[in-house]
Amino acid sequence: MARVTHPSNLELQALSVLWHEGPSTVSAVLETLPDGKDRAYTTVLSVLQSLERKKLVKRVRDGRAHVYEAAFSQDTIVRRAAHDFLTNAFGGRLGEAILALLSAGTLTPDEKTNIERELKRHKAMAAKKTAKKAAKKAPAKKAAAKKAAKKAPAKKAAAKKAPAKKAAKPAKKAAKKVAKKATKKAAKSAKKAAKKAAKKTVAKKAAKKAAKKAPAKKAAKKVAKKAAKKVAKKAAKSAKKAAPAKKAAKKAAKKAAK
């Protein structure tokens, strides 16, 4: 439906007559305008012609008279006007607008009944809206609960693993310390073994050198023995040769002493 042109205040009064009284002539509208002011026939005629140009009323010829009928329902036209009035006069606060309207006049019993019925309907609609919203949110909540339920075992498993990881850290540190100590001991023992091996190799080399020198010593001893024997023999021979001379000298000495 095309956007309805907003009527003026006097045009709204003429429309209200048509909504409540039904199709009416210009004279009938003039007599029943809500504000009760004295107006000329031509003024009301121009108002109805303006509404016809705006396509808010339809004109039907009934003999000589022209009958005007509302083209749209009261709810269609008034809804927009009421919204504008609520926004412009009360800043959109519906409660204040209702209280202001109630203070403007006195309600008939039928009007009170209609208002109470409308308030009950309004409450029921609000309850339905909240129920629909809750129903829409319910699947999302169930899905979230399912996801949380699925994640719960994983969280528990992670929580169980967490102490194991914490316990594993000290064990790793202890293992590292033991490994370091073991490597240090192995390095020390390897150094000691290397030193011993080096000493043994030196001793072996010295033994080899001594073994090489031993035959030379033996040969030198043999040569020394041979030389000593030769000297002894020569000395013995010279002693034998000198023995008669010693005897003669002793005899001479004895004779001289006598």
Side-chain angles (χ1 to χ4, degrees), residues 45-58:
L45 177 62
S46 64
V47 168
L48 290 170
Q49 287 173 346
S50 174
L51 287 170
E52 187 180 5
R53 284 193 299 273
K54 292 179 181 178
K55 297 182 180 181
L56 295 175
V57 298
K58 297 175 184 178

Side-chain angles (χ1 to χ4, degrees), residues 3-7 75-85:
R3 185 178 177 84
V4 179
T5 306
H6 191 64
D75 183 65
T76 303
I77 303 301
V78 172
R79 185 180 293 275
R80 182 182 168 196
H83 182 270
D84 292 342
F85 174 69

Side-chain angles (χ1 to χ4, degrees), residues 13-25 28-29 31-33 67-69:
Q13 287 191 51
L15 283 170
S16 70
V17 173
L18 298 179
W19 287 325
H20 290 90
E21 302 298 331
S24 304
T25 61
V29 173
E31 289 176 359
T32 53
L33 283 173
V67 179
Y68 291 89
E69 182 183 358

